[in-house]
Amino acid sequence: MLLIDPSKKICFNRCIRDGDLAIVYEKHDTMKAVKVCENSVFQNRFGLFKHSDWIGKSFGSKVFSNKGGFIYLLAPTPELWTLVLSHRTQILYIADISFVIMYMEIVPGCLVLESGTGSGSLTTSLARAVAPTGHVYTFDFHEQRAALAREDFERTGVNTLVTVGVTDIQGEGFPDEFSGSADSVFLDLPQPWLAIPSAGKMLKHDGILCSFSPCIEQVQRSCETLRLNFTDIRTFEILLRTYEVSEWKMDCSKVEDGGSVSPPGKRRRQSSSEGSVRDNPSCPAVMARPSADARGHTGYLTFARLKCIS
Amino acid sequence: MSESKPESGPVINPRVTCEGCSVLLDINDGDRLVFARLSAGSTLKIGNKTYSLQPLIGCPFGSLFQVESGKEKPYLSRFVPPTEENNVQDEGGSQLQEESRDNRAIIDNNQAQTLTGEDIDAMRRQGATGNEIVEALIANSATFDKKTQFSQEKYRLKKQKKYAPRVLLRRPFCRSICEAYFKKYPARIGFLRVDALSLLLSMANVTANSDALVVDMVGGLVTGAVAERLGGTGSVCSTYLGGTPYPIEIIRMFNFSDEICKRILRCSFNDLCSVQIETGEQVSQHEDDCTMESQSNEKTSLSIGTEDVHLSSNNGDTDLVPENKLSSSSKTCKAPKAGEKAPKEAIQSWKENGFSSLIIAAPEQDAWGLVKDFLPLLTYSAPFAIYHQYLQPLATCMHNLQLEKMAIGLQISEPWLREYQVLPSRTHPCMQMSGTGGYILSEFQVAQLGDPPPPWVNLSRNKNSDRISNRNFWLIFQWLNPRPCSLSMVSGKYANWDCAFCIG
């Protein structure tokens, strides 16, 4: 997935190969990750697709099923991966992920500590941000989830940049070997204030800590603990609002019988106020409106910098 | 494992300041943010006094400085705050007490403080530290004891900021540069807020070793942000329509290493699209024209770029700290190399492989027009993101992209960001909030629609035709595939295809 190996980067000449991970795009909210295997097939409501048809085509191609249905094959990116991965825990979505990476000032070469790994949604994006010379050490206290996360990182090709450890960070803190060497620490724990002192030891001077908590009480306790050794403490909430777009054809001709009640729908009669008849019978207009479904809350993001004491 | 950015020049420790580097000065815990370039002669004005920034050179980023009274004049000195400050202890101890005081008897008639301005000056001349002055003010305030505990803390903090200001030395990073501009000069960056910028970078999948194409009409902020994420690998091409490059002077605030600067290239749209590489003569003439243009741009942009972005708190201090006298010294310190014209080899490579991401941040242009032009330069399945401060151009662009089937996964998003004040018993969202950070249209480029479907496939997804085409497929399949397989066809639906096709 990531462009660590320049021979694998997507370009005009790059074709889908046996063993690649592809994202099958059916429609905007229906996508699936599929490993391309020469002898296997992919089946969905549009029909049956042979993987051998896919091999040799570019990413981004439209491919057809036996029934005439089609899908698109996209090259995986961390954003697409977040939308298709299997949820073992609640995950972070693109709005929070992108803000965290920006605010934690993560650039290539950074060393980042994370706990808990969960389903690896944020971890994959962190790996992208630190590539090619940095590293992400992520910890989860649940052994099975850690193993599944390791498998996912191999599938997506970020396993060289991510190391998953099984440790109870809340109870034991981060391993001593990272003392003073982390550029950033991310905490997604039920009781982050227990892990904050340890995180403080891991960070370099002026390093940044971020804690994600759904509840305000957790945020309050975390901030109290942060005030001892950290500065520049800020708490945010970020949400994304999406818009739908459609084209309306508005009739611009005058209505003779003085304003009929028009049925709701795409065609609407509009009486002209000046009383003049326009030449053009219909004026298409593209309208945008916010989507009806919206996310109300994901969590509070608290950022802080380690005080510089020496 | 520490940061190991590949550096071509002398190794510069990125966590310590050096002469000539760009820094962000945080005065009084976020009240005021000032960009400065450190040198022996650079200064900072706080209140009505000017302080030399020389003590800051060679200190680690994150160091705190406080104003101290010196023999000749006050200066900035490094200090280490105690790990548990007084106000924290106060909060911890008295949180359990019920607050019995309130402000019903406090009258705001400006007569509560008995110390005058002359008294304070006299104290200063005698060498009193800022903290001592604050304590004296508290002791001489008639109403201080009547205030609630929270009110007392607020009062102390306010006096401390005025008489004992603190300066925090910060590294300029994409986030702080964007926040600073958004607060003070949002029009220069097209009202692009930090979260919108971070979304642009994520949605366009900017990562190391990628070749990013950027149409940057927001002063260079997006180009700089992309270069920061590339970290000295890949390349970012800041392109422009017409003959004059768009100004990108903000990249100079980033403190980029030589390696990163080399990767920031400029190329006009015409050059990117030209079928043939120009001959040597034409190239050199074109280059001369371009360098002349870019030099004149640089002269004007240097004076803008080295201005401090000075933000003020409610006390209305809006003076800019001009650094015109520094512009000549910073020129000789480290000649900015970022934004050089792209060499032929780079252009050739981009044409062969295509760019792996496209970001358009042109808040005053028509989005669709730009997308039509730049999309063919992008490789297949590459993501692209367009930022605009208005919704309508993006709606039109999205609609057109859908009609022409040029992209999939189209989505218009508007980010919403709110900051919270978190203090014991005083937690609430901040009173001030940004109303808008712009809109982003994100999508994925599809491969050219030249691939014909296999001959036996009926293109429509109609249910009736599906059944017919299934039968056709079944017959043709038997004829084409030499290997018989056990298929069971149950009333038009296929079962056990997996077993059928897995050979071996």
Side-chain angles (χ1 to χ4, degrees):
Chain A
M1 176 198 293
L2 296 182
L3 308 175
I4 313 161
D5 181 2
S7 70
K8 286 193 183 158
K9 79 177 190 183
I10 51 163
C11 58
F12 287 129
N13 299 324
R14 166 86 158 89
C15 298
I16 298 176
R17 298 194 275 250
D18 185 24
D20 277 342
L21 181 72
I23 306 288
V24 165
Y25 177 98
E26 292 176 28
K27 56 182 181 140
H28 184 64
D29 47 4
T30 315
M31 287 189 272
K32 203 168 169 216
V34 173
K35 183 159 177 164
V36 176
C37 183
E38 194 160 339
N39 307 321
S40 56
V41 297
F42 173 74
Q43 193 170 9
N44 69 2
R45 62 206 151 119
F46 297 141
L48 193 136
F49 301 81
K50 286 163 75 170
H51 287 204
S52 47
D53 286 340
W54 299 354
I55 294 175
K57 294 218 169 72
S58 331
F59 279 107
S61 298
K62 195 171 181 175
V63 291
F64 294 90
S65 75
N66 55 343
K67 285 200 276 182
F70 61 86
I71 51 166
Y72 286 92
L73 296 170
L74 289 175
T77 67
E79 280 65 49
L80 289 174
W81 181 250
T82 292
L83 295 170
V84 301
L85 63 83
S86 78
H87 291 207
R88 278 94 64 184
T89 60
Q90 176 62 283
I91 65 170
L92 284 188
Y93 290 92
I94 184 174
D96 293 300
I97 292 175
S98 62
F99 194 65
V100 164
I101 294 181
M102 164 75 82
Y103 237 73
M104 292 222 286
E105 297 175 354
I106 298 179
V107 288
C110 280
L111 190 138
V112 182
L113 301 179
E114 180 199 14
S115 178
T117 316
S119 311
S121 168
L122 173 67
T123 322
T124 316
S125 293
L126 287 174
R128 169 180 63 186
V130 303
T133 44
H135 206 88
V136 179
Y137 291 92
T138 179
F139 302 92
D140 201 291
F141 68 168
H142 196 277
E143 190 147 353
Q144 188 204 20
R145 281 205 287 267
L148 287 170
R150 268 187 218 112
E151 279 175 29
D152 273 350
F153 300 141
E154 278 203 43
R155 281 176 83 192
T156 51
V158 302
N159 50 335
T160 49
L161 293 164
V162 181
T163 304
V164 185
V166 181
T167 317
D168 177 13
I169 298 295
Q170 257 176 216
E172 300 162 16
F174 286 98
D176 286 326
E177 60 183 301
F178 300 115
S179 255
S181 58
D183 291 285
S184 317
V185 174
F186 180 82
L187 299 174
D188 182 0
L189 299 168
Q191 297 171 306
W193 53 90
L194 299 176
I196 284 171
S198 168
K201 290 200 199 96
M202 299 299 126
L203 281 169
K204 289 183 185 165
H205 291 312
D206 206 38
I208 303 179
L209 176 135
C210 174
S211 170
F212 176 83
S213 299
C215 305
I216 196 69
E217 296 88 350
Q218 294 167 309
V219 174
Q220 286 182 293
R221 277 195 79 168
S222 305
C223 285
E224 267 184 56
T225 318
L226 282 170
R227 258 173 237 128
L228 299 176
N229 282 318
F230 288 80
T231 180
D232 200 17
I233 302 168
R234 299 177 76 173
T235 304
F236 293 94
E237 198 181 16
I238 177 168
L239 292 169
L240 270 193
R241 193 191 207 194
T242 52
Y243 285 77
E244 304 169 342
V245 166
S246 62
E247 188 176 20
W248 282 42
K249 286 192 169 52
M250 318 254 287
D251 265 349
C252 302
S253 54
K254 184 185 172 187
V255 176
E256 287 297 339
D257 56 327
S260 57
V261 176
S262 57
K266 291 206 172 168
R267 291 180 63 79
R268 218 207 268 163
R269 293 251 167 95
Q270 200 180 23
S271 52
S272 165
S273 49
E274 297 101 329
S276 61
V277 178
R278 306 228 177 111
D279 290 332
N280 194 357
S282 73
C283 338
V286 175
M287 316 279 234
R289 67 152 191 209
S291 305
D293 289 325
R295 194 159 283 156
H297 178 67
T298 51
Y300 300 100
L301 288 164
T302 306
F303 298 91
R305 308 183 86 101
L306 187 67
K307 277 187 195 166
C308 206
I309 309 180
S310 72
Chain B
M1 199 197 295
S2 53
E3 284 184 281
S4 47
K5 290 186 200 161
E7 307 265 11
S8 57
V11 175
I12 304 169
N13 182 343
R15 290 196 177 262
V16 176
T17 62
C18 66
E19 174 113 18
C21 76
S22 164
V23 298
L24 173 61
L25 300 170
D26 179 335
I27 300 164
N28 281 333
D29 207 20
D31 280 354
R32 198 175 134 214
L33 294 169
V34 176
F35 286 105
R37 206 165 275 282
L38 289 187
S39 74
S42 46
T43 57
L44 170 70
K45 191 169 180 187
I46 306 177
N48 51 7
K49 294 195 171 54
T50 310
Y51 303 91
S52 164
L53 290 178
Q54 166 121 50
L56 275 61
I57 299 177
C59 294
F61 282 108
S63 312
L64 201 55
F65 293 81
Q66 201 172 31
V67 169
E68 292 289 344
S69 324
K71 284 180 226 163
E72 291 154 38
K73 57 176 187 176
Y75 63 97
L76 288 172
S77 95
R78 178 114 187 266
F79 95 112
V80 177
T83 46
E84 281 195 44
E85 296 199 324
N86 290 336
N87 30 345
V88 175
Q89 280 175 345
D90 281 352
E91 281 171 64
S94 49
Q95 231 178 342
L96 300 171
Q97 283 176 15
E98 290 248 342
E99 183 58 71
S100 54
R101 294 166 289 192
D102 57 35
N103 62 5
R104 70 185 86 190
I106 299 179
I107 299 168
D108 186 9
N109 56 9
N110 222 17
Q111 289 173 5
Q113 179 57 251
T114 50
L115 274 185
T116 62
E118 289 98 32
D119 293 333
I120 295 170
D121 284 337
M123 282 177 76
R124 276 223 188 93
R125 269 178 266 126
Q126 285 162 14
T129 63
N131 285 333
E132 286 166 1
I133 295 176
V134 173
E135 293 303 324
L137 282 164
I138 290 173
N140 282 294
S141 164
T143 51
F144 187 79
D145 289 327
K146 293 191 213 154
K147 292 182 196 246
T148 65
Q149 194 216 333
F150 296 157
S151 195
Q152 286 179 345
E153 278 173 34
K154 236 175 151 172
Y155 181 89
R156 180 187 292 270
L157 205 59
K158 190 170 148 195
K159 296 302 172 194
Q160 193 176 16
K161 285 183 177 180
K162 190 166 177 194
Y163 295 102
R166 291 182 182 173
V167 178
L168 181 64
L169 185 61
R170 299 256 304 263
R171 270 186 298 180
F173 251 92
C174 172
R175 143 203 166 176
S176 37
I177 295 172
C178 182
E179 275 185 322
Y181 267 93
F182 190 75
K183 246 182 171 168
K184 187 65 181 175
Y185 301 116
R188 282 199 208 166
I189 54 167
F191 298 88
L192 178 64
R193 201 171 55 198
V194 181
D195 52 335
L197 178 57
S198 66
L199 274 169
L200 273 182
L201 296 172
S202 283
M203 284 170 164
N205 194 28
V206 174
T207 176
N209 291 322
S210 57
D211 292 312
L213 179 62
V214 175
V215 180
D216 184 336
M217 296 180 76
V218 289
L221 179 61
V222 172
T223 312
V226 171
E228 201 178 68
R229 290 281 172 98
L230 292 177
T233 61
S235 63
V236 50
C237 174
S238 175
T239 183
Y240 48 96
L241 294 172
T244 325
Y246 308 131
I248 55 168
E249 76 273 6
I250 295 182
I251 58 178
R252 266 164 232 149
M253 292 192 175
F254 277 83
N255 255 354
F256 283 141
S257 66
D258 290 342
E259 190 58 44
I260 299 180
C261 285
K262 267 194 329 201
R263 308 280 176 163
I264 303 176
L265 302 165
R266 298 226 235 184
C267 190
S268 78
F269 175 61
N270 293 332
D271 284 343
L272 284 175
C273 294
S274 61
V275 175
Q276 289 176 3
I277 305 294
E278 295 164 326
T279 60
E281 237 178 61
Q282 285 175 324
V283 167
S284 55
Q285 190 179 34
H286 192 58
E287 268 176 17
D288 282 332
D289 292 339
C290 273
T291 41
M292 270 176 61
E293 279 178 299
S294 57
Q295 266 179 5
S296 60
N297 277 343
E298 274 190 34
K299 275 185 195 147
T300 48
S301 60
L302 257 180
S303 54
I304 300 168
T306 49
E307 255 175 22
D308 292 331
V309 180
H310 170 156
L311 316 166
S312 60
S313 61
N314 298 332
N315 53 18
D317 190 5
T318 51
D319 294 329
L320 280 174
V321 181
E323 279 201 67
N324 291 326
K325 55 181 176 178
L326 288 182
S327 52
S328 49
S329 60
S330 60
K331 250 185 186 166
T332 51
C333 263
K334 181 178 173 183
K337 297 179 209 152
E340 289 202 342
K341 185 165 160 56
K344 278 203 301 286
E345 304 82 43
I347 302 180
Q348 190 60 25
S349 156
W350 292 331
K351 279 199 201 137
E352 268 178 32
N353 297 321
F355 286 97
S356 51
S357 0
L358 167 65
I359 300 181
I360 298 179
E364 288 172 22
Q365 303 281 324
D366 173 36
W368 171 236
L370 290 172
V371 165
K372 258 193 316 192
D373 286 336
F374 290 106
L375 211 47
L377 297 168
L378 200 58
T379 189
Y380 304 134
S381 186
F384 59 102
I386 308 169
Y387 165 79
H388 211 283
Q389 53 174 326
Y390 292 99
L391 179 60
Q392 199 53 41
L394 290 184
T396 313
C397 187
M398 175 164 165
H399 183 70
N400 291 337
L401 285 168
Q402 277 171 334
L403 279 183
E404 314 243 340
K405 296 196 178 23
M406 289 163 73
I408 55 172
L410 293 152
Q411 175 171 296
I412 297 183
S413 320
E414 181 192 6
W416 181 91
L417 181 70
R418 188 151 87 170
E419 189 167 355
Y420 283 72
Q421 166 187 289
V422 180
L423 290 172
S425 310
R426 286 161 286 174
T427 299
H428 56 74
C430 288
M431 301 304 192
Q432 297 207 323
M433 183 175 137
S434 154
T436 175
Y439 303 86
I440 297 177
L441 172 59
S442 62
E443 56 273 297
F444 290 88
Q445 160 92 301
V446 291
Q448 281 164 358
L449 304 174
D451 297 322
W456 56 79
V457 172
N458 186 338
L459 281 178
S460 87
R461 291 190 195 186
N462 192 317
K463 272 190 183 166
N464 289 331
S465 57
D466 271 355
R467 265 187 239 123
I468 299 167
S469 69
N470 286 345
R471 217 180 293 144
N472 288 341
F473 172 81
W474 170 247
L475 295 169
I476 295 168
F477 171 80
Q478 282 201 311
W479 172 64
L480 284 176
N481 191 335
R483 255 179 281 231
C485 38
S486 55
L487 291 163
S488 55
M489 186 165 157
V490 181
S491 60
K493 290 191 185 151
Y494 294 96
N496 297 328
W497 274 120
D498 292 2
C499 320
F501 281 101
C502 279
I503 305 163

